[in-house]
Amino acid sequence: MSIGADRVEARTVVWAAGVMASPAGLWLGAETDRAGRVKVAADLSVPGHPDIFVIGDTAALNDAEGKPLPGVAPVAKQQGIYVAKLLIARAAGKGRTGVPLSRLWRTCHDRP
């Protein structure tokens, strides 16, 4: 392995890199968890801003059992579907209705 002009002989090399959370919490002036994810309400809106939604690995939300939802694509896709249905319902004058969140969150943890 080479580091600059130096060479380190090794049989095994382990590479670890961190990632930085989205700065969306800063942009929104919203409360974040220690990883920088935006703490959202149960409908994925930013508390105090019912028309701003945060989904995917930028959102910090726990399921009905208090477990944090993982920041993975299947969860983000379900959250996106939920918010889309909620916005369609609002546009149709049905208020804040949408599919039950508990049904979505349960499926997130049921998958292997």
Side-chain angles (χ1 to χ4, degrees), residues 68-85:
L69 294 174
V72 295
V75 174
K77 288 169 64 175
Q78 290 180 1
Q79 290 172 336
I81 291 166
Y82 172 80
V83 171
K85 288 182 178 185

Side-chain angles (χ1 to χ4, degrees), residues 4-93:
D6 298 326
R7 181 160 175 80
V8 177
E9 295 297 325
R11 295 180 87 179
T12 304
V13 176
V14 177
W15 175 264
V19 295
M20 180 184 234
S22 165
L26 294 173
W27 304 334
L28 299 170
E31 183 180 2
T32 59
D33 66 6
R34 64 184 189 154
R37 296 175 299 235
V38 177
K39 292 184 178 181
V40 294
D43 67 354
L44 299 167
S45 67
V46 175
H49 301 280
D51 295 326
I52 299 174
F53 298 90
V54 178
I55 65 169
D57 61 359
T58 301
L61 183 65
N62 292 338
D63 67 11
E65 297 173 359
K67 297 177 189 173
L69 294 174
V72 295
V75 174
K77 288 169 64 175
Q78 290 180 1
Q79 290 172 336
I81 291 166
Y82 172 80
V83 171
K85 288 182 178 185
L86 186 142
L87 293 174
I88 291 166
R90 283 189 189 179

Side-chain angles (χ1 to χ4, degrees), residues 93-109:
K94 297 180 182 174
R96 300 174 119 298
T97 62
V99 297
L101 283 171
S102 59
R103 185 175 61 191
L104 291 177
W105 304 157
R106 230 185 349 264
T107 61
C108 293
H109 286 294

